[in-house]
Amino acid sequence: MDTRLLRTLLVLARTGSFTATAAELHLVQSTVTSQVKALERHLGARLFDRLPSGARLTEAGRRAVEHAREVLVAEQRLRDAVRGSSEVEGDVRIGAPESVCAYRLPQRIADVALRWPGISVHMTPVGTRAAIAGVRTGALDLALVLEEAVTAPGLKVNAIGVEPIELVSAPGVPVDERYFLLEEGCSYTDRFVRDLAATPNITRFGSIEAVRSCVMAGLGWSVLPRVAVAEQLDAGTLQRVRELPDTTLYLVTDPRRTPSAAARTVADALA
């Protein structure tokens, strides 16, 4: 079997879009369509339902994805063994909070790319539950999570750093009971809400940019990683109300799976 078809299967399963898959794999959309049809013919089953909202895995497709990952990992181990450690290459899938994806990972990934140009890293913004589930199922090679503590039986969890957290507002905004926070499941915002004496007026967003923009407009206060507001604090467009307890950054991997040399390389670089 041509393993390129399996790579296309995995990317389409993740993106749910033939257009996005073509862009990521540097192919034309018709080639992605042809590859999926060829794989379906080879396996004798329909792998995706083509819906107006995008491509959705069938039950057969979900089973195919699970085994396709195992085939590609085995293929990469074969390449690693033949070529030696000096030519590490392969895909590495990382799940991490939005703030980590936006502010912490890019420079580390750029450093990896300079040293090992054959490694391709795919970052996905996810919360803690989705990150741990992704590592368990093999959808993610590794995950980074921000939590006070992580309970993940069977997985390897290493603390690799801390993330300073700030309570911020626009200059001159009076004490208010209105907060703009990230969605539930964000550990440091959930902890902040639990520690409040009274139930405030809270608006939740899934984007740090949206939260920060509302606060900069003087609409309320927010709790964000220092790295996400450092530029605004320096410029004076935001002010620190008070510093909050740091949140620990953990690296999560699955010791039951044999990682590729690329995944080990990226994990070492992050740790």
Side-chain angles (χ1 to χ4, degrees):
M1 179 181 293
D2 186 346
T3 54
R4 289 176 299 178
L5 305 184
L6 300 182
R7 296 184 189 282
T8 300
L9 165 68
L10 294 185
V11 175
L12 182 57
R14 174 164 50 81
T15 65
S17 165
F18 282 87
T19 301
T21 298
E24 183 169 322
L25 296 176
H26 306 291
L27 301 171
V28 295
Q29 187 170 330
S30 59
T31 299
V32 173
T33 301
S34 297
Q35 288 184 347
V36 172
K37 289 181 177 178
L39 185 58
E40 289 177 327
R41 286 195 302 270
H42 186 84
L43 296 177
R46 187 178 183 87
L47 304 178
F48 291 93
D49 288 328
R50 282 74 162 172
L51 305 175
S53 58
R56 296 294 178 267
L57 284 168
T58 63
E59 182 61 32
R62 285 190 286 273
R63 291 194 297 268
V65 163
E66 180 179 349
H67 292 288
R69 292 194 183 102
E70 295 176 1
V71 172
L72 292 176
V73 167
E75 179 193 39
Q76 190 59 53
R77 287 204 301 266
L78 174 60
R79 292 180 183 274
D80 295 341
V82 171
R83 297 182 180 184
S85 59
S86 61
E87 294 188 45
V88 177
E89 62 178 27
D91 294 334
V92 180
R93 298 151 300 166
I94 302 176
E98 181 196 3
S99 61
V100 177
C101 286
Y103 301 103
R104 297 299 189 192
L105 280 177
Q107 186 56 56
R108 291 296 182 92
I109 301 309
D111 293 343
V112 169
L114 285 174
R115 187 171 179 183
W116 294 281
I119 294 179
S120 180
V121 177
H122 306 279
M123 296 184 292
T124 303
V126 290
T128 297
R129 286 186 181 179
I132 291 175
V135 173
R136 286 194 190 283
T137 62
L140 298 172
D141 295 300
L142 53 92
L144 296 169
V145 297
L146 285 170
E147 289 286 347
E148 295 177 73
V150 177
T151 301
L155 300 183
K156 184 177 181 181
V157 180
N158 288 333
I160 61 172
V162 294
E163 189 70 81
I165 306 298
E166 303 278 7
L167 176 62
V168 297
S169 73
V173 173
V175 176
D176 197 356
E177 290 297 315
R178 185 170 185 82
Y179 294 90
F180 293 86
L181 303 175
L182 294 175
E183 293 176 330
E184 291 185 16
C186 174
S187 61
Y188 50 84
T189 56
D190 290 348
R191 178 178 61 189
F192 175 75
V193 172
R194 288 196 305 268
D195 291 343
L196 289 174
T199 303
N201 185 349
I202 296 176
T203 300
R204 298 274 189 173
F205 289 99
S207 163
I208 286 178
E209 181 66 31
V211 169
R212 191 173 55 203
S213 295
C214 289
V215 177
M216 290 174 65
L219 300 179
W221 294 7
S222 187
V223 175
L224 290 169
R226 182 182 300 165
V227 68
V229 293
E231 181 179 338
Q232 290 74 23
L233 290 173
D234 289 343
T237 53
L238 286 178
Q239 66 178 7
R240 177 184 292 108
V241 177
R242 72 174 185 270
E243 187 175 335
L244 299 176
D246 293 343
T247 295
T248 304
L249 180 64
Y250 293 94
L251 174 64
V252 183
T253 56
D254 189 344
R256 298 166 297 183
R257 298 178 183 272
T258 303
S260 66
R264 290 196 304 270
T265 299
V266 172
D268 290 344
L270 296 179

